[in-house]
Coordinates of all heavy atoms in Angstrom, one line a residue:
Chain Q
D7 N 85.5 108.0 83.5 CA 86.9 108.6 83.7 C 87.4 108.1 84.9 O 86.8 108.0 86.0 CB 86.7 110.1 83.7 CG 88.0 110.8 83.4 OD1 89.0 110.5 84.1 OD2 88.0 111.7 82.6
D8 N 88.8 108.0 85.0 CA 89.4 107.4 86.2 C 89.7 108.6 87.2 O 90.1 108.3 88.3 CB 90.7 106.7 85.9 CG 91.8 107.5 85.3 OD1 91.3 108.3 84.4 OD2 92.9 107.4 85.5
E9 N 89.4 109.7 86.7 CA 89.6 110.9 87.7 C 88.3 111.2 88.4 O 87.3 111.5 87.9 CB 89.9 112.2 86.9 CG 91.3 112.2 86.3 CD 92.4 112.8 87.3 OE1 92.1 113.1 88.4 OE2 93.5 112.9 86.8
R10 N 88.3 110.9 89.7 CA 86.9 110.9 90.6 C 86.4 112.4 90.5 O 85.2 112.5 90.5 CB 87.2 110.5 91.9 CG 87.6 109.1 92.0 CD 87.2 108.3 93.2 NE 87.3 106.9 92.9 CZ 86.2 106.1 92.9 NH1 85.0 106.5 93.2 NH2 86.4 104.8 92.6
D11 N 87.1 113.4 90.5 CA 86.7 114.8 90.6 C 85.8 115.2 89.3 O 85.2 116.2 89.3 CB 87.8 115.8 90.9 CG 88.1 115.9 92.4 OD1 87.2 115.2 93.2 OD2 89.1 116.4 92.8
V12 N 86.0 114.3 88.3 CA 85.2 114.6 87.1 C 83.6 114.6 87.4 O 82.9 115.4 86.9 CB 85.5 113.5 86.0 CG1 84.4 113.3 85.0 CG2 86.7 113.8 85.3
Q13 N 83.3 113.8 88.5 CA 81.9 113.8 88.9 C 81.5 115.1 89.4 O 80.4 115.7 88.9 CB 81.7 112.8 89.9 CG 80.2 112.7 90.4 CD 79.9 111.6 91.2 OE1 80.7 110.6 91.5 NE2 78.6 111.4 91.6
V14 N 82.2 115.8 90.3 CA 81.8 117.0 90.9 C 81.8 118.2 89.7 O 81.0 118.9 89.7 CB 82.8 117.4 92.0 CG1 82.4 118.6 92.6 CG2 83.2 116.4 92.9
L15 N 82.9 117.9 88.9 CA 83.0 118.9 87.8 C 81.8 118.9 86.9 O 81.2 120.0 86.7 CB 84.3 118.6 87.0 CG 84.5 119.5 85.7 CD1 84.8 121.0 86.2 CD2 85.8 119.0 85.0
F16 N 81.3 117.7 86.5 CA 80.2 117.6 85.6 C 78.9 118.1 86.3 O 78.1 118.8 85.8 CB 80.0 116.2 85.1 CG 80.7 115.9 83.9 CD1 82.1 115.7 83.8 CD2 80.0 115.8 82.6 CE1 82.6 115.5 82.6 CE2 80.6 115.7 81.4 CZ 82.0 115.5 81.3
E17 N 78.8 117.7 87.6 CA 77.6 118.2 88.4 C 77.6 119.6 88.6 O 76.5 120.2 88.5 CB 77.6 117.5 89.8 CG 77.2 116.0 89.6 CD 77.5 115.2 90.8 OE1 78.1 115.7 91.8 OE2 77.0 114.0 90.9
Q18 N 78.7 120.3 88.6 CA 78.7 121.8 88.7 C 78.6 122.4 87.3 O 77.8 123.4 87.3 CB 80.0 122.3 89.3 CG 80.2 121.7 90.6 CD 80.0 122.8 91.7 OE1 79.7 123.9 91.5 NE2 80.4 122.5 93.0
R19 N 79.2 121.9 86.4 CA 79.1 122.5 84.9 C 77.7 122.4 84.4 O 77.2 123.2 83.7 CB 80.0 121.8 84.0 CG 81.5 122.2 84.1 CD 81.7 123.6 83.6 NE 83.0 124.0 83.5 CZ 83.5 125.2 83.1 NH1 82.6 126.1 82.8 NH2 84.8 125.4 83.1
F20 N 77.0 121.3 84.8 CA 75.6 121.1 84.2 C 74.7 121.3 85.4 O 73.5 120.6 85.3 CB 75.5 119.7 83.7 CG 76.3 119.5 82.4 CD1 77.6 119.1 82.4 CD2 75.7 119.8 81.2 CE1 78.3 118.9 81.2 CE2 76.5 119.6 80.0 CZ 77.7 119.2 80.0
R21 N 74.9 122.1 86.4 CA 74.0 122.1 87.5 C 72.6 122.7 87.2 O 71.7 122.1 87.7 CB 74.5 122.9 88.7 CG 74.8 124.4 88.4 CD 75.7 125.1 89.5 NE 75.8 126.5 89.2 CZ 76.7 126.9 88.3 NH1 77.4 126.0 87.6 NH2 76.8 128.2 88.1
K22 N 72.5 123.5 86.2 CA 71.2 124.0 85.8 C 70.5 122.9 85.0 O 69.3 122.7 85.3 CB 71.4 125.3 84.8 CG 71.7 126.4 85.7 CD 71.7 127.7 84.9 CE 72.3 128.9 85.7 NZ 73.2 129.7 84.9
E23 N 71.1 122.2 84.1 CA 70.5 121.2 83.3 C 70.0 120.1 84.3 O 69.0 119.4 84.0 CB 71.5 120.6 82.3 CG 71.8 121.6 81.1 CD 72.8 122.6 81.5 OE1 73.3 122.7 82.6 OE2 73.3 123.4 80.5
I24 N 70.8 119.8 85.3 CA 70.5 118.6 86.2 C 69.3 119.1 87.1 O 68.4 118.3 87.2 CB 71.7 118.3 87.0 CG1 72.8 117.7 86.3 CG2 71.3 117.4 88.3 CD1 74.2 117.5 87.0
R25 N 69.4 120.4 87.6 CA 68.3 120.9 88.3 C 66.9 120.8 87.6 O 65.8 120.5 88.1 CB 68.7 122.2 88.8 CG 67.9 122.7 90.1 CD 68.2 124.0 90.5 NE 69.5 124.3 91.0 CZ 70.0 125.6 91.2 NH1 69.2 126.6 91.2 NH2 71.2 125.7 91.7
N26 N 67.0 121.2 86.3 CA 65.8 121.3 85.5 C 65.4 119.9 85.0 O 64.4 119.7 84.4 CB 66.1 122.1 84.2 CG 66.4 123.5 84.6 OD1 66.1 124.0 85.7 ND2 67.0 124.2 83.7
G27 N 66.2 118.9 85.3 CA 65.8 117.5 84.9 C 66.1 117.2 83.4 O 65.6 116.2 82.9
D28 N 66.9 118.2 82.7 CA 67.1 117.9 81.4 C 68.1 116.7 81.2 O 68.0 115.9 80.2 CB 67.7 119.1 80.7 CG 66.7 120.2 80.7 OD1 65.5 120.0 80.9 OD2 67.2 121.4 80.6
I29 N 69.1 116.7 82.0 CA 70.1 115.7 81.8 C 70.3 115.0 83.2 O 70.3 115.7 84.3 CB 71.5 116.3 81.4 CG1 71.4 117.1 80.1 CG2 72.6 115.1 81.2 CD1 72.6 117.7 79.6
Q30 N 70.6 113.7 83.1 CA 70.9 112.9 84.3 C 72.2 112.3 84.1 O 72.5 111.8 83.1 CB 69.8 111.9 84.4 CG 69.4 111.6 86.0 CD 68.5 110.3 85.9 OE1 67.8 110.1 85.0 NE2 68.7 109.6 86.9
F31 N 73.2 112.5 85.1 CA 74.5 111.9 85.0 C 74.7 110.7 85.8 O 74.3 110.6 86.9 CB 75.6 112.9 85.3 CG 75.8 113.9 84.2 CD1 75.3 115.2 84.3 CD2 76.5 113.7 83.0 CE1 75.5 116.1 83.2 CE2 76.7 114.5 82.0 CZ 76.2 115.8 82.2
V32 N 75.4 109.6 85.3 CA 75.9 108.6 86.1 C 77.4 108.5 85.8 O 77.8 108.8 84.8 CB 75.2 107.2 85.8 CG1 74.0 107.0 86.7 CG2 74.9 107.0 84.4
F33 N 78.1 108.0 86.8 CA 79.6 108.0 86.6 C 80.2 106.6 86.8 O 79.7 106.0 87.7 CB 80.2 109.0 87.6 CG 79.8 110.5 87.3 CD1 78.6 111.0 88.0 CD2 80.5 111.3 86.5 CE1 78.2 112.2 87.7 CE2 80.1 112.5 86.1 CZ 79.0 113.1 86.8
A34 N 81.2 106.4 86.1 CA 81.9 105.0 86.2 C 83.3 105.5 86.2 O 83.8 106.3 85.4 CB 81.6 104.1 85.1
F35 N 84.2 104.9 87.2 CA 85.6 105.4 87.3 C 86.6 104.4 86.7 O 87.7 104.5 86.9 CB 85.9 105.7 88.8 CG 85.0 106.8 89.3 CD1 84.0 106.4 90.3 CD2 85.2 108.1 88.7 CE1 83.1 107.4 90.7 CE2 84.2 109.0 89.3 CZ 83.2 108.8 90.3
S36 N 86.1 103.4 85.9 CA 86.9 102.6 85.2 C 86.2 101.9 84.0 O 84.8 101.9 84.0 CB 87.6 101.5 86.0 OG 86.6 100.6 86.4
G37 N 86.8 101.3 83.1 CA 86.1 100.7 82.0 C 85.3 99.5 82.5 O 84.2 99.3 82.1
E38 N 85.9 98.8 83.5 CA 85.2 97.7 84.1 C 83.9 98.1 84.7 O 82.8 97.4 84.5 CB 86.2 97.0 85.2 CG 87.3 96.2 84.6 CD 88.5 97.2 84.4 OE1 88.4 98.4 84.3 OE2 89.6 96.6 84.3
E39 N 83.9 99.2 85.5 CA 82.8 99.6 86.2 C 81.6 100.0 85.2 O 80.5 99.8 85.4 CB 83.2 101.0 87.0 CG 82.9 100.9 88.5 CD 83.3 102.2 89.2 OE1 82.5 103.0 89.1 OE2 84.3 102.2 89.9
A40 N 82.1 100.7 84.0 CA 81.2 101.2 83.0 C 80.4 99.9 82.4 O 79.2 99.9 82.2 CB 82.0 101.9 81.9
L41 N 81.3 98.9 82.1 CA 80.7 97.7 81.5 C 79.7 97.0 82.5 O 78.6 96.5 82.2 CB 81.7 96.6 81.2 CG 82.6 97.0 80.0 CD1 83.7 96.0 79.8 CD2 81.7 97.0 78.7
G42 N 80.0 97.1 83.9 CA 79.2 96.5 84.9 C 77.8 97.3 84.9 O 76.8 96.7 85.0
Y43 N 78.0 98.7 84.7 CA 76.8 99.5 84.8 C 75.9 99.1 83.6 O 74.6 99.0 83.7 CB 77.1 100.9 84.7 CG 75.9 101.9 84.6 CD1 75.2 102.3 85.8 CD2 75.4 102.3 83.4 CE1 74.1 103.0 85.6 CE2 74.2 103.0 83.2 CZ 73.6 103.3 84.4 OH 72.5 104.3 84.2
L44 N 76.4 99.0 82.4 CA 75.7 98.7 81.2 C 75.0 97.4 81.2 O 73.9 97.2 80.8 CB 76.6 98.8 79.9 CG 77.1 100.2 79.6 CD1 78.2 100.1 78.5 CD2 75.9 101.0 79.2
K45 N 75.7 96.4 81.9 CA 75.1 95.1 82.1 C 73.8 95.1 83.0 O 72.9 94.5 82.7 CB 76.2 94.2 82.7 CG 76.2 92.8 82.0 CD 77.5 92.1 82.3 CE 77.3 91.0 83.5 NZ 78.6 90.5 83.9
D46 N 74.0 96.0 84.1 CA 73.0 96.0 85.0 C 71.8 96.9 84.5 O 70.6 96.7 84.9 CB 73.3 96.6 86.4 CG 74.3 95.5 87.1 OD1 74.4 94.4 86.6 OD2 75.0 96.0 88.0
H47 N 72.1 98.0 83.8 CA 71.0 98.9 83.4 C 70.8 98.9 82.0 O 69.9 99.8 81.5 CB 71.5 100.3 83.9 CG 71.6 100.4 85.3 ND1 72.8 100.0 86.0 CD2 70.8 100.8 86.4 CE1 72.6 100.2 87.3 NE2 71.4 100.7 87.5
G48 N 71.2 98.0 81.2 CA 70.9 97.9 79.8 C 71.2 99.3 79.1 O 72.2 100.0 79.4
Q49 N 70.2 99.7 78.1 CA 70.6 100.9 77.4 C 69.9 102.1 78.0 O 69.5 102.9 77.3 CB 70.2 100.7 75.9 CG 71.5 100.4 75.1 CD 71.8 98.8 75.1 OE1 71.7 98.2 76.1 NE2 72.0 98.3 73.9
E50 N 69.9 102.3 79.3 CA 69.3 103.4 79.9 C 70.0 104.7 79.5 O 69.4 105.7 79.2 CB 69.5 103.3 81.4 CG 68.2 102.8 82.2 CD 68.5 102.7 83.6 OE1 69.1 103.6 84.3 OE2 68.0 101.6 84.3
A51 N 71.4 104.5 79.5 CA 72.2 105.8 79.1 C 72.2 105.8 77.6 O 72.5 104.9 76.9 CB 73.6 105.6 79.7
V52 N 71.8 107.0 77.1 CA 71.8 107.2 75.6 C 73.1 107.6 75.2 O 73.4 107.5 73.9 CB 70.6 108.2 75.2 CG1 69.3 107.6 75.4 CG2 70.8 109.5 75.9
L53 N 73.9 108.2 76.1 CA 75.1 108.8 75.6 C 76.3 108.3 76.6 O 76.1 108.3 77.8 CB 75.2 110.3 75.6 CG 76.6 110.9 75.3 CD1 77.0 110.7 73.9 CD2 76.5 112.4 75.6
I54 N 77.3 107.8 76.0 CA 78.5 107.4 76.9 C 79.7 108.3 76.5 O 80.0 108.5 75.3 CB 78.8 105.9 76.7 CG1 77.6 105.0 77.2 CG2 80.1 105.5 77.5 CD1 77.6 103.7 76.6
L55 N 80.2 109.0 77.6 CA 81.3 109.9 77.4 C 82.5 109.3 78.0 O 82.6 109.2 79.2 CB 80.9 111.1 78.1 CG 81.5 112.6 77.6 CD1 81.0 112.7 76.0 CD2 80.9 113.6 78.4
S56 N 83.5 108.8 77.3 CA 84.5 108.0 77.9 C 85.9 108.6 77.7 O 86.3 109.0 76.6 CB 84.5 106.6 77.5 OG 85.6 105.9 78.0
D57 N 86.7 108.6 78.7 CA 88.1 109.0 78.6 C 88.8 107.8 78.0 O 88.3 106.7 78.0 CB 88.7 109.1 80.1 CG 90.1 109.6 80.1 OD1 90.5 110.2 79.0 OD2 90.8 109.5 81.0
I58 N 90.0 108.0 77.2 CA 90.7 106.8 76.6 C 91.8 106.3 77.5 O 91.9 105.0 77.6 CB 91.2 107.3 75.2 CG1 90.1 107.5 74.2 CG2 92.2 106.3 74.8 CD1 90.6 107.7 72.8
N59 N 92.4 107.2 78.1 CA 93.5 106.8 79.0 C 93.1 106.4 80.3 O 93.0 107.2 81.2 CB 94.5 108.0 79.1 CG 95.8 107.6 78.4 OD1 96.4 106.6 78.6 ND2 96.2 108.5 77.5
M60 N 92.9 105.1 80.6 CA 92.5 104.7 81.9 C 93.3 103.4 82.3 O 93.4 102.6 81.3 CB 90.9 104.4 82.0 CG 90.1 105.6 81.9 SD 88.4 105.2 82.1 CE 88.1 104.3 80.6
P61 N 93.6 103.2 83.5 CA 94.2 101.9 83.8 C 93.2 100.8 83.6 O 92.1 101.1 83.7 CB 94.6 102.0 85.3 CG 94.4 103.5 85.6 CD 93.5 104.1 84.7

Side-chain angles (χ1 to χ4, degrees):
Chain Q
D7 200 308
D8 61 320
E9 293 270 3
R10 296 212 162 240
D11 277 346
V12 157
Q13 176 164 4
V14 190
L15 180 63
F16 270 79
E17 283 168 356
Q18 298 251 5
R19 280 287 190 188
F20 288 92
R21 63 190 181 285
K22 282 185 190 135
E23 290 81 354
I24 293 171
R25 206 186 287 176
N26 299 340
D28 296 339
I29 307 179
Q30 215 187 329
F31 282 102
V32 270
F33 296 88
F35 300 109
S36 69
E38 289 86 341
E39 246 182 74
L41 286 174
Y43 175 85
L44 290 171
K45 220 162 103 192
D46 293 345
H47 298 84
Q49 260 87 317
E50 262 178 44
V52 291
L53 173 71
I54 297 161
L55 210 58
S56 176
D57 191 19
I58 285 184
N59 247 308
M60 291 182 293

